[in-house]
C-alpha cells in the first residue's frame, strides 16, 4: 500500500530521516508501558503519519520482558519492520539485547538507573533520568512507577519533535477524558520534554513531521471491529469463555451492545451474552441459540476450537447456523499464547469427525473484521451451517489504522425460515427436505406454534423429515446434499482480491494479517525487477478466481504463518492439476511477518 | 352414547394421544419408559400445548427418550453431557417456552458434570430429569458414576469408587428445585413433574430408573426391588394448578404448602415436623442420615421460589428474541458515524 503522502514541513538536514523508521520499546509487562506506547502510536497517527504498532508481550501479568514496536512509514507500509532504528531501554534484564537491536546509525534511549556498559560507537545514546523526573512529578508514590513510562514519551517527543498537542489528544482518548490521570501523565511528559530540551543535544537524524496521510483512517483492533460488525449484523446471542487473544472480542460485545442494541421504545436488550464455564459449553449454548433462530456467535482461540470440535461437527451435520471466531495464537498445545500465528487453518476448515468441512472467512484487515462480522451471520443463516472467522492475535489485539467501518450495504439475510403462516401454505415440509433443489432445506425454530413446526434435531442419521434412520441411501443422500450446499457456498463467500503487477509471471497467495507485508514485499521485489501478482484469499472454500489465478501463473508462492504450509496443502488438494506450481513459504516464529522475510524467501527460490 | 365415543380431551382440547411420541425402542420394563409416560400424563393433565415445550437431551439411553414423548414439540438431541448448554442457548430464543431436559447418570454425572453444575448456578428455567440407573446401557453395562461402591456387574467386576449423589450435587450448586423419585412410584414422579413444570428456575429430578438389562439385581441400589424395599417418601405430594381449589382440609401441621411462581401450589402432607424444604444445610444432614440408613429418600427435597431465574437477569423484551424483525436487531445507519468517532 502506498498512500503517496508528502511531508508538509521538514527542517532537518539532507541526511535526516523523517517519518520513516521503527521504534522498539523494551519494558517489563505490568508496568503501565502499554499506556505510553499507545500514546506514542496515537500521537503519530494524529500527526497524519502512517503508523503501525505491535505489542510483543509475554504470557504473564507482571514482571517479564515485553516489547512494543512502532513503525512510521511515510510510504504507508504498516507491516512490522525487521529493523529498528530507535530503541528505548527501560528494562535492565533485556538491556544488552535491546542495545544490540539498534540499527547502525540508530538511537538508543535508556533509563539511567540501569548501570550497564554501552560499548557501541555506531549509534547515538541518550540517557533518561526516569526516576528523577517521576519522583519530581506530582504523582502519588503508588503511581510513580506507572507514570515513569511517560518519561520516555516526553524525552522521545523532544528529540524527534512529536507534536505535544497530539500527545495530549492521545492521553485524553486513553483516559476517556478523565482530567486527573490526563494531567498526571501529561505533566510527566512535559517535565521530560523540558529536561531533554535543557540537557540533551540532538545528534541523530531521526524526526517526525506532520503529514496528511491518516485523516481517512480510524484506529481500532480486529477484535473490537469483529464485535462491532457482529452487532451491526444483528447478533442476538453470544457465549464465550476467556482466552487470549480472543477475550477482547466478547468484552467488546459487552461494551458496545448496551449502547447500540437496546430497544429504543422499551429499553430492553435485543441480545444476550453469557460467559460460559468452558468452550464446550460456549459452543453448546451458541448452537442452542442458533437452532432457536437467534443470530448466534462464540469467540475463542485454538485450544477452544479443539474443545468445540464435537459440537461443531454436530452443527454441520444438523445444519445449525452459528458464527465462530477463532482469533489464532501459536500452537500446538498452550504454545505461545501471546504470539500470533495462522496455524489453525486445517483444524478449523475440517473441524469435526467424519466428513466435515466448513465455510471459513479470512479477514485481512481490521476493517474487514467489521465487514465479516456481519457477513458471517448472513452466510451462516443462508447456508444453515457454522461459519468460522479466522483472525489472529496480531489483527485481533493490536491497534491498526484502518478505513472507517462502513454500514452494511446489504439487508439482513435470515435464510429459509418458516413461520406459522408459511407452514399453512406448505403441504409437504420436512426439516431436511430439499424443496428448492439447491441443497438448502427450510427450517422452523422453537416458538413456532404451528402443529407441523416441531421436529427432532439429532446428531444421528436421519431422513428428510428428521426421523432417525440408518438407511445407507438416506445417509449418502444427506451427506451429498451437505456437499452440494458447500459447493454453493463456494460461489457466495467473499471473493479473493487481486493486486496485480504488470507482466508478472509469478504469483503470491496469502491471507489475513500478513497482507501488509505481502504488499510491501511486492514493491521490494519490483525494485529487484521481479514482478509478482498477489491474490489475497478472503474465504474458504476457494472460489473459481483462485483456481484461475493459480493456473495463470508459472509459480505461485503461498505465504502463511505456520510450519506445515496448511493453506498450501488445501490449495494443492483443491487444484491438483497445479500442485507442482504451488510453492509453500511458511514462517512461524510468533512475530508478525515482515516484508523483507517474504522478499528474501521469494528471491531465494527465484534465484536458485 | 356419543359422549363416550369421542376421546377424552383436556382444557386445550387435546387428547392424551396428542402428547405421545414415537414408539419406544428402549428395553421392555426400562424405567425410562415409565418416566416418559408420566411426562405425557403430566403435560396432558396440565393442558400444556405440546408446541410450548422444547425437549433436550445428551447421549445415552435416557437421551433417546425425548423421541418417545411429545412428538409435536421441538427437540434437540445434542452431544454427550452437554445438554445443559444447548438448552441454555435455545431457551433464550423464546423464554415463553418450557424446557424439558432428559439426561442420565452417565450423561450428567461424568462427562456432563461441569455443565450440570453450571446450569444450576445460572438457574436456567428447565426441568432437568436424570434417569438414574447406575450403569451405562447403550455401551452395554459399564459402571456409571452414581453406581454404589461394591456393586458387582457382569463382566465389570466390583465397583471400587464412591458414588456421586445427584441430589447432593444439585443442592450445593444452588439448584432451586431438587427432587428425587423412583420410576416404580409413577404417581410421585407425575406430581413432581407437574411441580417442576411450574417452577421458574432449574428443577432437578433425580429419578431412580432401573436398567432391566444390566443393573436390576435385587441388591443393586438402582433396581426395582431395592427401590421398592428402601423407598422412604418424605411426604405425600400433590400439585394444585392455579385454577383449582384445594378440596381437602388439613389439620394444622399436617401439611406444608409451597406456592410456585405462577401461583400454583404444592401440598406436602405427612411431613416430618423438622423438615423444611428451604433449609439447605439441614437437607444435607437429612440426606446423609438417609444414606447411612440405606434409605432411598424421595420427594421434593429442596425448593427456593425466590431466586431470580437466568432470564430475569437479562432485561429481555416481552416478545421472543427470535421473532424480532431485522430492523430491530441492526443499529441505525446514523449510529455508524458515532461508532467511528469513538475509535481513535
Amino acid at each position: 500500500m502506498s498512500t503517496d503522502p508528502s511531508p508538509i514541513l521538514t527542517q532537518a538536514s539532507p541526511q535526516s530521516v523523517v517519518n520513516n523508521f521503527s521504534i522498539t520499546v523494551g519494558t517489563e509487562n505490568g508496568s503501565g508501558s502499554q499506556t505510553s506506547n499507545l500514546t506514542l502510536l496515537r500521537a503519530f497517527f494524529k500527526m497524519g503519519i502512517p503508523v503501525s504498532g505491535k505489542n510483543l508481550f509475554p504470557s504473564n501479568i507482571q514482571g517479564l520482558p515485553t516489547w512494543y514496536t512502532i513503525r512510521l512509514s511515510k510510504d504507508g507500509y504498516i507491516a512490522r519492520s525487521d529493523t529498528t532504528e530507535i530503541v528505548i531501554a527501560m528494562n535492565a534484564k533485556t538491556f544488552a539485547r535491546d542495545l544490540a537491536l539498534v540499527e547502525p546509525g540508530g538511537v538508543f534511549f535508556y533509563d539511567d538507573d540501569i548501570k550497564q556498559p554501552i560499548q557501541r560507537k555506531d549509534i547515538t545514546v541518550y540517557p533518561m533520568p526516569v526516576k528523577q523526573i517521576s519522583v519530581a512529578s506530582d504523582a502519588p508514590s503508588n503511581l510513580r512507577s506507572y507514570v515513569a513510562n511517560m518519561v520516555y514519551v516526553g524525552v522521545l517527543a523532544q528529540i524527534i519533535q512529536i507534536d505535544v498537542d497530539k500527545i495530549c489528544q492521545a492521553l485524553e482518548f486513553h483516559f476517556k477524558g478523565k482530567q486527573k490521570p490526563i494531567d498526571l501523565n501529561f505533566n510527566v511528559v512535559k517535565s521530560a520534554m523540558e529536561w531533554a530540551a535543557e540537557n540533551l543535544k540532538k545528534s541523530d537524524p531521526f524526526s517526525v513531521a506532520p503529514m496528511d496521510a491518516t485523516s481517512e483512517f480510524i484506529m481500532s483492533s480486529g477484535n473490537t471491529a469483529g464485535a462491532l460488525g457482529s452487532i451491526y449484523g444483528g447478533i442476538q446471542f453470544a457465549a464465550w469463555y476467556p482466552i487470549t487473544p480472543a477475550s477482547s472480542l466478547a468484552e467488546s460485545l459487552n461494551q458496545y451492545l448496551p449502547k447500540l442494541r437496546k430497544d429504543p421504545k422499551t429499553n430492553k436488550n435485543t441480545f444476550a451474552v453469557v460467559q460460559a464455564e468452558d468452550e464446550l459449553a460456549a459452543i453448546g449454548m451458541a448452537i442452542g441459540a442458533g437452532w432457536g433462530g437467534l443470530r448466534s456467535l462464540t469467540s475463542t482461540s485454538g485450544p477452544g476450537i479443539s474443545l468445540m470440535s464435537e459440537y461443531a461437527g454436530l452443527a454441520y451435520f444438523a445444519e445449525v447456523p452459528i458464527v465462530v471466531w477463532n482469533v489464532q495464537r501459536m500452537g500446538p498445545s498452550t504454545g505461545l499464547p501471546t504470539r500470533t500465528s495462522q496455524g489453525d487453518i486445517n483444524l478449523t476448515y475440517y473441524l469435526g469427525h467424519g466428513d466435515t468441512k466448513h465455510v471459513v472467512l479470512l479477514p485481512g484487515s481490521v476493517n474487514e473484521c467489521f465487514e465479516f462480522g456481519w457477513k458471517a451471520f448472513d452466510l451462516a443463516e443462508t447456508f444453515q451451517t457454522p461459519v468460522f472467522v479466522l483472525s489472529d492475535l496480531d489483527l485481533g489485539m493490536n491497534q491498526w489504522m484502518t478505513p472507517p467501518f462502513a454500514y452494511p450495504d446489504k439487508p439482513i439475510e435470515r435464510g429459509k425460515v418458516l413461520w406459522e403462516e408459511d407452514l399453512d401454505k406448505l403441504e409437504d415440509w420436512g426439516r431436511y427436505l430439499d424443496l428448492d433443489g439447491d441443497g438448502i432445506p427450510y427450517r422452523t425454530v422453537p416458538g413456532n406454534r404451528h402443529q407441523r413446526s416441531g421436529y427432532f434435531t439429532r446428531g444421528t442419521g436421519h431422513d428428510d423429515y428428521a426421523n432417525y434412520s440408518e438407511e445407507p441411501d438416506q445417509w449418502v443422500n444427506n451427506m451429498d446434499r451437505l456437499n452440494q450446499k458447500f459447493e454453493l457456498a463456494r460461489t457466495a463467500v467473499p471473493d479473493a482480491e487481486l493486486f496485480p503487477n504488470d507482466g508478472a509471471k509469478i504469483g503470491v497467495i496469502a491471507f489475513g494479517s500478513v497482507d501488509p507485508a505481502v504488499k510491501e514485499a511486492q514493491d521490494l521485489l519490483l525494485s529487484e525487477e521481479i514482478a509478482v501478482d498477489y491474490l489475497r484469499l478472503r474465504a474458504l472454500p476457494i472460489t473459481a478466481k483462485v483456481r484461475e489465478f493459480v493456473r495463470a501463473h508459472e509459480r505461485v508462492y503461498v505465504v502463511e504463518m505456520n510450519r506445515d504450509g496448511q493453506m498450501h496443502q488445501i490449495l494443492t488438494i483443491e487444484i491438483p492439476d497445479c500442485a507442482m506450481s504451488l510453492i509453500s513459504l511458511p514462517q512461524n516464529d510468533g512475530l508478525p511477518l515482515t516484508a523483507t522475510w517474504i522478499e528474501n524467501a521469494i528471491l531465494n527460490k527465484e534465484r536458485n | 352414547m356419543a359422549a363416550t365415543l369421542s376421546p377424552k380431551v383436556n382444557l386445550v382440547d387435546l387428547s392424551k394421544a396428542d402428547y405421545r411420541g414415537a414408539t419406544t425402542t428402549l428395553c421392555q420394563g426400562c424405567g425410562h419408559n415409565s418416566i416418559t409416560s408420566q411426562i405425557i400424563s403430566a403435560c396432558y393433565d396440565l393442558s400444556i400445548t405440546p408446541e410450548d415445550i422444547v425437549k433436550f437431551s445428551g447421549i445415552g439411553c435416557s437421551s433417546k427418550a425425548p423421541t418417545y414423548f411429545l412428538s409435536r414439540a421441538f427437540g434437540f438431541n445434542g452431544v454427550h453431557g452437554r445438554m445443559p448448554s444447548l438448552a441454555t442457548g435455545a431457551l433464550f430464543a423464546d423464554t415463553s417456552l418450557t424446557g424439558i431436559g432428559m439426561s442420565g447418570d452417565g450423561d450428567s454425572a461424568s462427562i456432563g458434570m461441569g455443565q450440570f453444575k453450571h446450569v444450576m448456578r445460572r438457574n436456567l428455567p428447565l426441568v432437568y430429569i436424570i434417569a438414574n440407573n447406575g450403569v451405562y446401557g447403550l455401551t452395554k453395562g459399564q459402571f456409571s458414576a452414581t453406581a454404589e461402591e461394591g456393586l458387582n456387574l457382569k463382566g465389570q467386576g466390583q465397583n471400587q469408587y464412591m458414588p456421586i449423589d445427584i441430589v447432593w450435587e444439585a443442592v450445593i450448586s444452588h439448584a432451586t428445585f431438587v427432587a428425587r423419585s423412583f420410576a416404580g412410584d409413577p404417581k410421585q414422579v407425575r406430581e413432581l413433574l407437574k411441580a417442576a413444570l411450574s417452577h421458574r428456575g432449574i428443577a432437578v429430578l433425580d429419578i431412580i430408573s432401573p436398567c432391566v438389562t444390566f443393573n436390576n439385581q435385587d441388591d443393586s441400589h438402582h433396581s426395582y426391588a431395592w427401590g421398592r424395599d428402601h423407598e422412604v417418601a418424605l411426604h405425600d405430594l400433590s400439585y394444585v394448578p392455579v385454577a383449582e381449589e384445594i378440596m381437602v382440609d388439613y389439620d394444622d401441621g399436617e401439611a406444608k404448602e409451597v406456592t410456585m411462581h405462577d401461583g400454583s401450589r404444592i401440598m406436602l402432607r405427612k411431613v416430618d415436623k423438622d423438615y423444611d424444604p428451604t433449609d439447605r444445610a439441614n437437607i444435607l444432614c437429612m440426606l446423609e442420615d438417609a444414606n447411612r440408613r440405606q434409605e432411598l429418600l424421595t420427594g421434593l427435597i429442596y425448593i427456593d421460589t425466590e431466586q431470580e431465574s437466568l432470564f430475569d437477569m437479562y432485561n429481555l423484551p416481552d416478545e421472543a428474541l427470535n421473532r424480532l424483525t431485522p430492523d430491530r436487531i441492526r443499529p441505525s445507519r446514523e449510529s455508524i458515524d458515532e461508532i467511528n468517532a469513538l475509535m481513535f
Side-chain angles (χ1 to χ4, degrees), chain B residues 52-285:
Chain B
D52 288 340
I53 299 274
V54 193
K55 307 173 289 182
F56 302 97
S57 62
I59 294 291
C61 290
S62 62
S63 298
K64 290 173 75 169
T67 329
Y68 315 135
F69 61 87
L70 299 182
S71 56
R72 274 171 52 181
F74 279 84
F76 199 149
N77 179 196
V79 299
H80 200 24
R82 281 158 277 172
M83 174 278 283
S85 60
L86 199 61
T88 304
L91 290 169
F92 265 105
D94 183 344
T95 60
S96 71
L97 294 166
T98 299
I100 298 178
M102 188 80 185
S103 182
D105 43 315
D107 197 52
S108 278
S110 289
I111 184 170
M113 196 52 146
Q115 298 212 349
F116 170 84
K117 304 281 274 187
H118 285 270
V119 80
M120 303 294 133
R121 62 184 272 266
R122 291 195 186 95
N123 204 22
L124 172 74
L126 175 76
V127 178
Y128 191 149
I129 301 163
I130 292 161
N132 184 352
N133 57 17
V135 72
Y136 285 85
L138 267 187
T139 52
K140 300 195 186 295
Q142 298 83 8
F143 295 117
S144 91
T146 62
E148 65 274 18
E149 187 201 10
L151 173 68
N152 285 293
L153 285 180
K154 200 176 158 193
Q156 304 295 322
Q158 192 174 51
N159 180 34
Q160 310 278 328
Y161 309 135
M162 295 300 286
I164 281 171
D165 185 323
I166 302 273
V167 166
W168 263 89
E169 299 297 338
V171 171
I172 62 170
S173 306
H174 299 275
T176 51
F177 181 117
V178 184
R180 176 174 280 146
S181 193
F182 171 46
D185 186 353
K187 182 181 168 289
Q188 190 196 49
V189 170
R190 185 170 66 243
E191 293 306 297
L192 282 170
L193 277 166
K194 289 180 189 173
L197 285 162
S198 299
H199 180 61
R200 189 168 169 82
I202 191 85
V204 181
L205 285 98
D206 175 25
I207 305 177
I208 305 304
S209 178
C211 172
V212 291
T213 305
F214 295 110
N215 191 16
N216 197 31
Q217 323 75 283
D218 288 356
D219 58 346
S220 157
H221 289 200
H222 294 83
S223 67
Y224 280 115
W226 204 88
R228 266 194 304 270
D229 294 347
H230 294 79
E231 182 183 4
V232 176
L234 267 171
H235 36 237
D236 231 3
L237 178 138
S238 51
Y239 174 81
V240 187
V242 185
E244 280 178 32
E245 293 282 320
I246 296 172
M247 302 303 286
V248 190
D249 283 334
Y250 298 111
D251 292 339
D252 248 10
E254 196 199 354
K256 274 189 202 298
E257 180 182 317
V258 180
T259 306
M260 306 299 285
H261 192 267
D262 62 2
S264 61
R265 283 161 294 173
I266 305 169
M267 301 304 299
L268 308 173
R269 278 177 296 143
K270 299 179 191 162
V271 287
D272 188 300
K273 272 198 221 78
D274 297 332
Y275 167 64
D276 175 1
T278 63
D279 180 349
R280 279 162 29 109
N282 194 35
I283 278 159
L284 296 176
C285 294

Side-chain angles (χ1 to χ4, degrees), chain A residues 165-206:
Chain A
D165 290 343
K166 307 299 183 201
I167 292 176
C168 198
Q169 272 185 43
L171 286 170
E172 279 167 5
F173 178 82
H174 188 90
F175 291 108
K176 300 182 173 75
K178 279 179 234 136
Q179 209 52 49
K180 210 172 163 186
I182 295 168
D183 289 346
L184 190 65
N185 284 279
F186 192 58
N187 288 339
V188 177
V189 173
K190 279 195 295 189
S191 311
M193 288 181 79
E194 283 158 19
W195 178 87
E198 283 164 28
N199 296 284
L200 296 179
K201 186 176 175 301
K202 168 99 176 160
S203 49
D204 70 90
F206 299 96

Side-chain angles (χ1 to χ4, degrees), chain A residues 361-378:
Chain A
L361 304 185
L362 304 163
S365 66
V366 165
N367 190 55
E368 209 164 56
C369 287
F370 180 90
E371 182 188 334
F372 289 177
W374 61 268
K375 280 191 173 160
F377 286 119
D378 290 344

Side-chain angles (χ1 to χ4, degrees), chain A residues 329-547:
Chain A
R329 66 189 215 185
M330 180 70 85
S333 184
T334 307
L336 301 175
T338 58
R339 296 302 164 101
T340 201
S341 175
Q342 295 177 322
D344 297 343
I345 317 292
N346 278 329
L347 171 73
T348 309
Y349 191 38
Y350 301 118
L351 192 68
H353 57 274
D355 289 314
T356 38
K357 48 191 174 181
H358 302 288
V359 172
V360 178
L361 304 185
L362 304 163
S365 66
V366 165
N367 190 55
E368 209 164 56
C369 287
F370 180 90
E371 182 188 334
F372 289 177
W374 61 268
K375 280 191 173 160
F377 286 119
D378 290 344
L379 283 165
E381 292 196 328
T382 298
F383 291 96
Q384 300 178 16
T385 195
V387 169
F388 290 80
V389 188
L390 266 185
S391 177
D392 67 22
L393 181 142
D394 183 18
L395 200 51
M397 288 184 74
N398 282 318
Q399 291 288 320
W400 296 60
M401 51 181 277
T402 196
F405 304 135
Y407 196 74
D409 58 3
K410 288 191 188 110
I412 283 177
E413 177 50 74
R414 306 277 339 227
K416 300 180 186 177
V417 179
L418 301 173
W419 287 100
E420 290 84 348
E421 59 277 18
D422 306 311
L423 283 168
D424 278 338
K425 290 176 218 152
L426 264 182
E427 243 172 68
D428 188 18
W429 169 76
R431 171 63 185 97
Y432 300 110
L433 191 62
D434 183 8
L435 290 172
D436 301 334
D438 59 0
I440 308 171
Y442 286 80
R443 66 183 184 123
T444 53
V445 298
N448 185 328
R449 261 66 175 193
H450 196 283
Q451 277 190 29
R452 287 189 289 125
S453 66
Y455 69 97
F456 197 76
T457 304
R458 56 178 87 245
T460 46
H462 55 72
D463 64 15
D464 290 349
Y465 296 86
N467 299 308
Y468 182 74
S469 167
E470 294 181 7
E471 286 301 316
D473 287 352
Q474 263 163 358
W475 178 266
V476 170
N477 290 343
N478 187 55
M479 291 303 287
D480 285 350
R481 186 178 54 74
L482 292 179
N483 212 25
Q484 186 191 350
K485 262 190 354 177
F486 191 73
E487 287 305 313
L488 190 62
R490 192 188 290 281
T491 65
V493 295
D495 208 351
E497 195 179 7
L498 178 67
F499 301 90
N501 261 335
D502 280 348
K505 292 196 173 82
I506 62 170
V508 169
I509 287 180
F511 54 93
S513 67
V514 304
D515 175 63
V518 178
K519 285 171 177 162
E520 186 181 352
Q522 260 186 308
D523 292 354
L524 293 173
L525 286 163
L526 209 54
S527 67
E528 302 271 349
E529 293 178 344
I530 297 176
V532 180
D533 289 337
Y534 164 37
L535 188 76
R536 182 168 72 85
L537 299 182
R538 299 206 299 158
L540 290 173
I542 60 163
T543 58
K545 190 174 179 177
V546 182
R547 286 206 176 92

